[in-house]
Structure formats: structure tokens, C-alpha cells
Amino acid sequence: MKDLVADARSHIDTISPAEAHEAMQGGDMILDVREPAELDNDGAVDGAVHIPRGLVEAQADPETGKGNAALTSRRDGGGRVHVLCASGARAALAADSLKQMGYDATVIDGGLAAWKKAGLPLRS
């Protein structure tokens, strides 16, 4: 797993939680790839789109007709997607996949732990 994450990180850019929060206010998307139980237990970023990591590629494919409209509208120049998970590993894998699918995707450096440390808002 470490090698997969390291490889994914080598292909994508990172953004700080504060920069991602500011970018979301300007219209960028935050995509939270944590599991539903994590959202319930640890809190969630208000306004983020939530798609568990295992479903990202299916939800990002506009050709299936079953994709997440908020996400698929950002493909091919429709806006940036900043991916969040607990620490950054799942987000790196998801962002790398999204980039390969035509999205402008970054990873929120440090994940939710860094988001909380920066004192950024969460809904509980």
C-alpha cells in the first residue's frame, strides 16, 4: 500500500487545508472519500461532496449515467477537486485516479487531521 500511495503522490499536487477551504469558498469542490462512519464519528467539512474511496471512479465516470453530477460536472476543465480523507493516503489514490480520468484534482495535505489542526470549520 505504501508504494501505491507514494506513486500516486508523485503524480498529484497537494494543497493546504486553509487553501482548500478558501478555494471552496471560490467555487472549487472538496471531495471527502472517507467512509460514512468516519463522517459520523469525526465530523465532516460543510459543503463537501462525500463519496467513499471505493466508489470514486464509478461516481466520476459521466458515461455510465450513474455518476455524481456535482463531481462529473468538474471533469475536463469544469473546476478543481480537492480530495480529503483522514490522513491523505486514500485521498492521494483517489486524486491520482481522478487526474487520469480528466479531472484537475489535488490532495488536501494532512487530511482531516490537518484540517482540524488548522481550526477550520466542521459540521458534526
Side-chain angles (χ1 to χ4, degrees):
M1 181 71 169
K2 284 183 186 180
D3 291 340
L4 289 173
V5 171
D7 183 57
R9 287 182 190 264
S10 74
H11 303 134
I12 54 171
D13 294 325
T14 60
I15 188 170
S16 75
E19 291 169 324
H21 182 258
E22 185 176 322
M24 185 174 70
Q25 304 307 313
D28 284 3
M29 170 189 279
I30 292 182
L31 174 62
D32 190 331
V33 297
R34 295 176 298 138
E35 295 296 321
E38 292 175 280
L39 301 173
D40 293 341
N41 294 334
D42 302 325
V45 175
D46 197 26
V49 172
H50 302 102
I51 302 172
R53 168 65 193 107
L55 301 175
V56 169
E57 289 82 1
Q59 292 291 306
D61 186 355
E63 295 174 18
T64 65
K66 298 177 184 176
N68 179 290
L71 178 57
T72 59
S73 69
R74 302 207 177 249
R75 187 173 171 192
D76 297 321
R80 294 189 96 184
V81 178
H82 308 290
V83 187
L84 176 79
C85 69
S87 65
R90 286 175 287 175
L93 295 170
D96 187 38
S97 290
L98 289 171
K99 185 175 178 182
Q100 291 177 42
M101 294 176 76
Y103 289 85
D104 183 1
T106 67
V107 171
I108 299 175
D109 197 30
L112 187 67
W115 187 278
K116 288 180 174 182
K117 187 174 181 176
L120 296 167
L122 291 173
R123 70 179 158 81
S124 35

